[in-house]
Amino acid sequence: MKKIVIVEDETYMREELEYIFQKAGYEVLCITDFGSASAAVFRYAPHLVVLDLNLPGKSGFDICMELKERSSCPVLVLTSRNHLNDELRALRIGADEYLTKPCRKERLLARAENLMRRFEGREQEIRLGELTLDIRTYTLYVSGSSVLLPENQGKIMEKLMMKRGGTVTKEELSSALWGTTEYIDENALQVNMTRLKKTLARLPLDGRIETVRGVGYRIAKGDAYGKD
C-alpha cells in the first residue's frame, strides 16, 4: 500500500484529505507538529507529501526545501495561496505540483496518482547538489558520469550525503559498515574512506570529503556537491 503524508494545519481540511486518500486505498499519516515535519516525513518514507504553505511556526516553503534537499519524494502543494509568485516560488524550490484550494477531489487524486507514477522507483535516491546516489545499487551519478561504488564506499557516501555538510561520527560510520559501535576499527575505516576519496577524485567534481579531527567526516561546505 502506498503511503501519503499530509501536512495541513486546518483540522477540517486535514480530516477531509485524510478521508479522501484513505478511501482511495492509501495509507495516510497526518502531521501537526510543523517544526519537526521534515524529520517525521523522513522517518515515515512516504510515496507522496501533500503540503500546505500557510502553517504556524514554520512555512511550507521551508519544509519543502528541507524535504527536497534530502529526498526525491514528490511534493504536492495544496494551498489557498493563488498568486503566481507563490506558485513559481514553490516550483523553483522543488515542489512537483501546485494546486489551489478549493480543489475537487477527482483532480487532487488524479494529480497525486500521476506524481507517484512519475516518481515510482526513485524513492531510493538521495540528491545533493549535482550528486545523486541510488542506495539500492550504490551507483553515484554526477554531471553525466556515473560510478558503481563498492558496498562499503556506498554506505559511507550515503551517510555523508544524508548529513548535507554535517559531521558523520565514526560511531555512525562503524554502525553503517559493520553493524556495531562497540569497537571501531580506525584502520579499516580509514582504508574505506581513502578509497572513497580516490573514487570521487576520478569524477568531474571540485568537492572533497574532509576529516573532523577526533569526531568523524563531512562533505566540505561550499564544494560542488555540498551546496544548494
Side-chain angles (χ1 to χ4, degrees):
M1 181 182 294
K2 290 189 175 181
K3 301 184 291 185
I4 293 177
V5 166
I6 296 170
V7 187
E8 168 64 61
D9 66 316
E10 296 180 11
T11 303
Y12 174 79
M13 176 61 69
R14 184 170 62 246
E15 292 176 349
E16 180 69 13
L17 290 172
E18 183 179 22
Y19 173 77
I20 289 171
F21 284 113
Q22 285 181 340
K23 190 174 181 181
Y26 298 103
E27 180 181 323
V28 180
L29 172 69
C30 293
I31 292 177
T32 55
D33 181 358
F34 307 111
S36 60
S38 300
V41 170
F42 295 138
R43 287 194 300 270
Y44 191 62
H47 297 85
L48 175 70
V49 176
V50 179
L51 176 67
D52 190 15
L53 294 179
N54 297 321
L55 300 171
K58 193 169 197 176
S59 86
F61 292 111
D62 290 335
I63 293 172
C64 183
M65 284 192 291
E66 291 172 356
L67 294 176
K68 284 302 185 176
E69 284 175 347
R70 290 179 52 187
S71 171
S72 60
C73 177
V75 174
L76 187 158
V77 169
L78 181 64
T79 179
S80 59
R81 300 172 69 146
N82 59 3
H83 296 293
L84 178 60
N85 286 342
D86 291 323
E87 180 174 355
L88 293 177
R89 180 184 174 190
L91 294 174
R92 286 191 187 109
I93 63 177
D96 302 286
E97 183 63 88
Y98 193 99
L99 294 175
T100 56
K101 305 172 186 174
C103 177
R104 293 183 62 89
K105 68 177 183 179
E106 294 85 359
R107 176 174 294 167
L108 174 63
L109 286 171
R111 298 291 179 87
E113 290 164 3
N114 183 55
L115 271 182
M116 285 185 279
R117 281 197 301 270
R118 279 169 45 199
F119 279 76
E120 196 166 8
R122 292 175 56 184
E123 299 89 356
Q124 300 301 316
E125 291 180 357
I126 303 173
R127 294 183 295 176
L128 176 56
E130 61 183 327
L131 284 178
T132 299
L133 178 68
D134 184 336
I135 61 175
R136 294 166 299 186
T137 62
Y138 290 127
T139 303
L140 185 65
Y141 301 90
V142 55
S143 302
S145 300
S146 65
V147 60
L148 180 62
L149 299 176
E151 184 176 2
N152 281 354
Q153 292 182 38
K155 288 178 178 179
I156 292 172
M157 198 65 196
E158 178 182 356
K159 286 292 184 181
L160 291 169
M161 289 177 67
M162 289 296 288
K163 279 296 182 77
R164 297 194 55 79
T167 300
V168 182
T169 67
K170 295 176 183 178
E171 289 79 10
E172 289 176 304
L173 291 173
S174 177
S175 179
L177 292 173
W178 302 294
T180 181
T181 59
E182 294 181 3
Y183 173 71
I184 300 174
D185 188 334
E186 295 273 1
N187 290 332
L189 181 56
Q190 182 63 44
V191 166
N192 281 284
M193 188 61 69
T194 299
R195 289 172 177 169
L196 175 58
K197 290 179 179 179
K198 289 181 178 178
T199 299
L200 295 180
R202 297 196 296 267
L203 296 173
L205 281 170
D206 297 323
R208 68 187 186 281
I209 297 171
E210 64 181 18
T211 301
V212 181
R213 185 171 297 179
V215 181
Y217 301 88
R218 68 185 176 193
I219 292 178
K221 292 183 179 179
D223 286 335
Y225 54 105
K227 61 185 180 182
D228 269 333

